């Protein structure tokens, strides 16, 4: 993009210019606030922090600093101030005459039952007096936008779950108690990992639906990007791990963690190009995100590979990466914004599938942030190719890696978005129609270790037809008369996205049928036909029930799960239960398992048995499940629950594939404890073992 184009775009997004220093702003109020700085004296411009020697030019910057750097001290100070204020008001209330009560902040004494205000500009609420009591859950959303999210020109660059503003809520005095209570219940359900039956009243769980920008460049479309990030605690505060603010892993730890990541994690999220990856050129927050997953599969070399040291280092990297993203937004601006999307993606996988529990709430907030940044940053659009005319083979190869990484990052985002819908029943945030990318290139091209090997593959490959966009591929698989033979070869990683789209379609059929009481056999048949047509693309010459324990098992597991979902509808999903964590999903699935008596009907058992058997054989064969995507264990556990119900129901051959006799319920549980104990290194494996113990009671 030329300098003139960049200047024109900046002018279009920032029409207000300071006459003193020529700085530009997107909003007039930001220009007014900035211009006031030129008229301040030195004393007025120095606002000291109450807890350190730092000074600031604006109150909101000081407030943001205090919330980030001194959260514990500030909490103690606020608690003390509130207590003193309440005591003072109680004493004053005893002395005031009835005429003076009209100025009280009590909702009961103000006009229309709403709190009045006696300071500040006309029409503004005195937020400083609303930190406690019933107003806290809703006021926090409004305050975080004003106090924490202004960088330079006042743009908001934080991303999280959004909620209606306090002023909008105050326009409905009859509902304020319900809003506050339900918002509190919703927040608590996420923090504790418990399911909730309904979303809070008037609370928007979706990121802003922004139209995809026309520019294909991820960087060029971000200057006008703003999003309401007024969520509780901005992705939660950092855990106090006793680490210094400048802590970073050693070079030895970084090298070992990256090796672990590419060996065990990258196969199921292959968007980082291993041959051209250089850790020294990667932003710190992305390196830490990589290490947070890598050390879930190995131990810390600085601790002599002591058992458990890897998980501890993973936790440190996880929280340090979050802290960097939240507190060093200005520094992160220097790097590619796609690295922030990738960091959010890896960190939420770590939070949801490895750490679980209370960290799941943080994972869901990061998911909302990731979707919003991906959409606003143009990730849905293909990236422009800048070096297409060069004769430098190495430059061409690196340009290919950059554009393919851009595409594969979006496919990973789409997969995770579909996963949370499958597991948690949280509505999807991305439509397949938004994705304007072609299907991923063949795996052999992506893994080419040198420019010469990549160029050779480009020469010898003979595409059977023009490239196909993802949305068009979905349409062709759903069309009964479509010819699939002319689709060029593509990585099964892209076939996972198509399979997950079909799983989501099956869930939508179950939800629609539950609400209406009618079953659309036409829609059911279309999804089933599409899954059968997709099978050869998942793994060539795949036979139902076959098993090969490689990293490609994720593709097959997703397909087998789709076939199960089509035959058996999730009781928690059709019951309208929305979970807040994987812990809650496992508990709910285990609790509901004994009540599904319809599984014992011969026709149902016969239809689902081949796909359940695939998971039983997979669990039996995976003696060392280190390269396994964590959600495959979730798929497998749900498949075992079906097999266990069939054994309880006396269905012949229910677990014959793994040597469990008909009707042997205890034998089925003993077998499950054996195969899932291989995964007890991870928190997810421990949770499954606890659920198996409760299943046997």
């Amino acid at each position: 993009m030329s300098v003139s184009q960049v200047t024109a775009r900046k002018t279009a997004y920032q029409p207000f210019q300071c006459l003193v220093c020529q700085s530009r702003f997107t909003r007039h109020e930001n220009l007014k606030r900035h211009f006031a700085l030129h008229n301040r004296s030195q004393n007025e411009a120095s606002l000291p922090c109450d807890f350190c020697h730092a000074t600031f030019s604006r109150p909101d910057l000081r407030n943001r600093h205090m919330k980030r750097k001194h959260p514990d001290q500030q909490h103690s100070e606020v608690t003390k101030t509130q207590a003193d204020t309440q005591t003072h008001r109680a004493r004053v209330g005893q002395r005031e005459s009835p005429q003076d009560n009209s100025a009280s902040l009590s909702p009961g004494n103000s006009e229309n039952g709403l709190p009045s205000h006696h300071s500040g500009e006309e029409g503004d609420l005195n937020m400083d007096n609303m930190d406690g009591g019933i107003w806290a859950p809703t006021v926090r959303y409004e305050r975080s936008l004003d106090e924490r999210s202004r960088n330079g020109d006042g743009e908001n660059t934080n991303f999280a779950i959004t909620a209606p503003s306090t002023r909008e809520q105050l326009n409905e005095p009859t509902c304020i108690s319900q809003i506050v209570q339900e918002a509190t219940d919703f927040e608590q359900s996420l923090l504790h990992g418990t399911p909730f039956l309904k979303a809070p009243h008037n609370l928007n769980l979706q990121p802003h639906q922004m139209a995809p920008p026309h520019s294909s460049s991820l960087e060029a479309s971000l200057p006008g990007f703003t999003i309401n990030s007024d969520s509780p605690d901005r992705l939660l505060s950092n855990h106090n791990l006793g680490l210094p603010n400048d802590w970073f892993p050693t070079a030895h730890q970084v090298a070992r963690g990256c090796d672990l990541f590419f060996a065990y994690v990258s196969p199921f999220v292959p968007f980082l190009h291993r041959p051209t990856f250089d850790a020294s050129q990667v932003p710190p927050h992305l390196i830490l995100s990589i290490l947070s997953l890598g050390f879930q599969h190995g131990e810390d070399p600085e601790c002599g590979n002591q058992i458990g040291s890897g998980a501890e280092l993973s936790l440190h990297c996880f929280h340090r990466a979050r802290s960097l993203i939240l507190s060093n937004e200005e520094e992160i601006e220097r790097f590619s914004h796609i690295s922030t999307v990738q960091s959010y993606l890896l960190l939420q996988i770590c939070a949801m599938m490895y750490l679980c529990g209370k960290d799941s709430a943080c994972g869901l907030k990061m998911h909302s942030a990731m979707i919003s940044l991906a959409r606003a940053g143009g990730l849905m659009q293909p990236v422009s190719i800048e070096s297409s005319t060069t004769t430098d083979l190495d430059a061409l190869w690196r340009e290919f890696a950059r554009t393919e990484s851009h595409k594969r990052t979006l496919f990973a985002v789409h997969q995770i978005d579909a996963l949370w819908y499958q597991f948690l029943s949280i509505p999807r945030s991305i439509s397949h129609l938004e994705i304007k990318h072609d299907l991923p290139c063949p795996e052999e091209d992506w893994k080419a270790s040198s420019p010469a090997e990549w160029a050779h593959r480009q020469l010898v490959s003979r595409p059977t037809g023009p490239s196909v966009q993802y949305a068009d591929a979905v349409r062709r698989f759903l069309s009964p008369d479509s010819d699939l033979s002319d689709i060029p070869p593509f990585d099964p990683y892209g076939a996972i996205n198509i399979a997950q789209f079909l799983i989501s379609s099956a869930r939508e059929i179950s939800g629609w049928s539950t609400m209406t009481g009618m079953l659309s056999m036409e829609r059911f048949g279309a999804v089933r036909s599409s899954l059968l047509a997709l099978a050869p693309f998942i793994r060539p010459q795949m036979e139902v029930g076959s098993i090969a324990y490689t990293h490609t098992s994720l593709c097959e597991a997703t397909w087998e799960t789709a076939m199960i979902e089509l035959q058996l509808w999730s009781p928690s999903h059709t019951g309208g239960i929305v979970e807040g964590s994987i812990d809650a999903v496992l508990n709910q699935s285990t609790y509901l398992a004994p009540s599904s008596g319809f599984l014992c009907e011969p026709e149902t058992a016969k239809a689902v048995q081949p796909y359940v058997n695939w998971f039983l054989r997979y669990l039996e064969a995976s003696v060392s499940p280190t390269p396994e995507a964590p959600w495959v264990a979730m798929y497998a556990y749900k498949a075992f629950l079906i097999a266990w119900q069939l054994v309880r129901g006396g269905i012949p051959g229910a677990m014959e594939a793994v040597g469990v006799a008909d009707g042997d319920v205890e034998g089925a549980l003993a077998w499950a404890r054996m195969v899932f104990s291989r995964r007890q290194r991870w928190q997810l494996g421990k949770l499954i073992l606890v659920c198996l113990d409760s299943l046997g009671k």
Side-chain angles (χ1 to χ4, degrees), residues 167-181:
R167 292 177 181 83
E168 293 172 342
Q169 295 179 15
L170 294 180
N171 289 333
E172 299 178 339
T174 58
C175 300
I176 188 65
S177 298
Q178 179 183 1
I179 294 171
V180 172
Q181 183 59 46

Side-chain angles (χ1 to χ4, degrees), residues 213 218 225 341 369-380 410 413 430:
L218 180 63
F225 171 56
V341 173
M370 175 189 69
I371 297 295
S372 300
L373 182 57
R375 180 177 286 116
L379 195 63
M380 309 295 178
L410 179 59
V413 168
I430 298 178

Side-chain angles (χ1 to χ4, degrees), residues 261 265-272 293 345-346 349 408 412 415-416 493 554 631:
F261 175 85
V265 180
S266 184
F268 57 82
V269 280
F271 56 77
L272 294 176
L293 287 178
L345 178 64
L346 298 178
I349 292 175
R408 286 169 174 257
Q415 287 185 27
I416 294 299
Y493 177 63
L554 173 59
W631 44 93

Side-chain angles (χ1 to χ4, degrees), residues 533-610:
L534 182 64
F537 294 86
I538 289 288
R539 183 163 70 89
Q541 291 83 43
M542 187 184 78
E543 298 178 2
V544 174
S546 64
I547 177 66
Y549 181 66
T550 65
H551 70 267
T552 58
S553 59
L554 173 59
C555 306
E556 300 171 53
T558 307
W559 187 87
E560 302 286 346
T561 295
M563 296 301 293
I564 293 175
E565 285 276 349
L566 197 61
Q567 305 290 337
L568 296 175
W569 294 345
S570 167
S572 62
H573 181 71
T574 55
I577 300 175
V578 180
E579 284 92 3
S581 68
I582 296 301
D583 313 50
V585 174
L586 290 171
N587 290 331
Q588 198 67 236
S589 300
T590 305
Y591 172 76
L592 294 174
S595 61
S596 302
F598 64 88
L599 269 176
C600 298
E601 298 177 3
E603 291 299 321
T604 303
K606 181 179 178 181
V608 78
Q609 190 72 63

Side-chain angles (χ1 to χ4, degrees), residues 51-70:
F51 306 107
C52 68
H53 298 293
T55 59
F56 303 89
S57 60
R58 299 201 312 260
D60 61 312
L61 297 178
R62 180 177 62 176
N63 290 339
R64 184 176 68 178
H65 163 82
M66 293 171 65
K67 289 179 182 295
R68 289 176 177 174
K69 302 300 183 182
H70 314 290

Side-chain angles (χ1 to χ4, degrees), residues 41-59:
S41 65
Q42 183 61 36
N43 293 334
E44 291 175 328
S46 298
L47 302 175
C49 172
D50 294 339
F51 306 107
C52 68
H53 298 293
T55 59
F56 303 89
S57 60
R58 299 201 312 260

Side-chain angles (χ1 to χ4, degrees), residues 182-183 195 303 353 356 472 478 515 536 550 593 605 632 641 686 689 693:
E182 292 182 359
C303 295
M353 305 301 304
C356 306
D472 185 51
L478 286 171
M515 289 186 294
T550 65
V632 172
L641 288 179
K686 295 182 177 71
L689 290 175
D693 290 339

Side-chain angles (χ1 to χ4, degrees), residues 148-161:
R148 308 179 188 178
S149 308
R150 304 296 185 184
N151 288 326
D153 63 345
E155 290 307 296
N156 184 344
T157 56
N158 309 314
F159 324 100
I161 296 174

